[in-house]
Amino acid sequence: QQQVKQSPQSLIVQKGGISIINCAYENTAFDYFPWYQQFPGKGPALLIAIRPDVSEKKEGRFTISFNKSAKQFSLHIMDSQPGDSATYFCAASPGNNRKLIWGLGTSLAVNP
Amino acid sequence: EPEVTQTPSHQVTQMGQEVILRCVPISNHLYFYWYRQILGQKVEFLVSFYNNEISEKSEIFDDQFSVERPDGSNFTLKIRSTKLEDSAMYFCASRDDRSYEQYFGPGTRLTVT
């Protein structure tokens, strides 16, 4: 129930293409869903996050789509660039302490 | 821009030794967290800390682990007797009380030999 399932494990996209990463959860107590970007040797950096009261949130080239009934959410990276090549983690958080439960990560490579 | 800092960036220690990992959270943040990431695996929650006490800990955070906020700026994670399986990246994170956003430090790579 505490798991967040993330797919795919790895993704290769051409420059200018759309990268899509999916996550699913079981625990209905989760009410905050962030996406983090991590470059090798660095800490995770918050990219974008959503609460379940909205179905979509867009910030620049990054969009989260959220389907509460299906307990799924996804990250879309439009016009993917080589600089987007990184590992992306979805996470979910229940109330109170806001600990983050993480997906396994997706290694994204954007070819020039 | 304020950021979370961590020291050291890399710590090598022998099995059975004690290590202290240090973090300086963002100054107006009140909630503090430690996570770890074993190489190539997902990030795992260890402990959360608020109002000078542990608010939640995971099953990983056993009696060998402790956290402390010794002064107004530092937040430390101590591992009393390190094991080989403690080798991982350890990340500190903090957030303020007005949002859910956690900001992470660059991590400390702990290598236990």
Side-chain angles (χ1 to χ4, degrees):
Chain A
Q1 269 237 328
Q2 287 289 330
Q3 284 187 341
V4 176
K5 295 182 181 179
Q6 183 173 346
S7 63
Q9 187 175 350
S10 63
L11 182 61
I12 300 173
V13 172
Q14 293 300 119
K15 180 182 174 182
I18 302 174
S19 304
I20 301 174
I21 305 170
N22 301 298
C23 284
Y25 64 98
E26 292 290 328
N27 190 345
T28 55
F30 291 153
D31 65 352
Y32 171 68
F33 304 89
W35 285 90
Y36 281 84
Q37 179 189 57
Q38 186 181 32
F39 293 104
K42 303 293 185 183
L46 180 64
L47 198 58
I48 187 172
I50 198 167
R51 300 288 309 279
D53 51 346
V54 297
S55 60
E56 186 175 282
K57 183 174 180 181
K58 184 175 181 179
E59 289 183 1
R61 296 185 294 110
F62 301 93
T63 300
I64 299 179
S65 296
F66 185 81
N67 186 329
K68 187 174 181 178
S69 60
K71 299 199 203 75
Q72 295 174 347
F73 58 110
S74 59
L75 175 69
H76 295 232
I77 306 174
M78 312 300 285
D79 187 27
S80 299
Q81 300 296 311
D84 296 332
S85 298
T87 300
Y88 292 81
F89 291 94
C90 64
S93 173
N96 299 329
N97 295 315
R98 294 287 153 206
K99 70 179 181 185
L100 293 174
I101 309 299
W102 297 73
L104 285 174
T106 295
S107 177
L108 171 65
V110 181
N111 290 333
Chain B
E1 187 174 318
E3 58 182 16
V4 177
T5 60
Q6 290 185 243
T7 55
S9 57
H10 190 192
Q11 174 92 45
V12 181
T13 189
Q14 289 190 328
M15 194 168 52
Q17 295 297 304
E18 174 183 287
V19 295
I20 297 176
L21 310 183
R22 291 183 168 79
C23 168
V24 179
I26 294 173
S27 63
N28 62 337
H29 286 188
L30 300 177
Y31 294 84
F32 312 114
Y33 306 82
W34 283 101
Y35 294 84
R36 78 172 185 190
Q37 184 180 31
I38 295 172
L39 186 63
Q41 299 186 24
K42 69 177 177 181
V43 181
E44 298 175 291
F45 167 77
L46 292 178
V47 66
S48 58
F49 192 86
Y50 171 72
N51 201 24
N52 282 320
E53 60 183 26
I54 291 173
S55 46
E56 188 171 355
K57 59 184 181 181
S58 72
E59 59 188 24
I60 301 169
F61 194 89
D62 61 22
D63 292 345
Q64 294 302 310
F65 291 85
S66 62
V67 289
E68 193 178 34
R69 189 155 163 83
D71 52 44
S73 58
N74 289 284
F75 180 50
T76 62
L77 174 69
K78 182 194 289 186
I79 309 175
R80 254 180 283 281
S81 178
T82 51
K83 306 183 187 76
L84 293 176
E85 54 264 37
D86 293 327
S87 295
M89 281 290 287
Y90 287 81
F91 294 105
C92 171
S94 69
R95 70 174 178 95
D96 65 27
D97 60 350
R98 294 168 298 169
S99 80
Y100 300 154
E101 299 175 352
Q102 290 183 31
Y103 294 89
F104 282 73
T108 292
R109 178 175 298 283
L110 176 65
T111 302
V112 182
T113 62

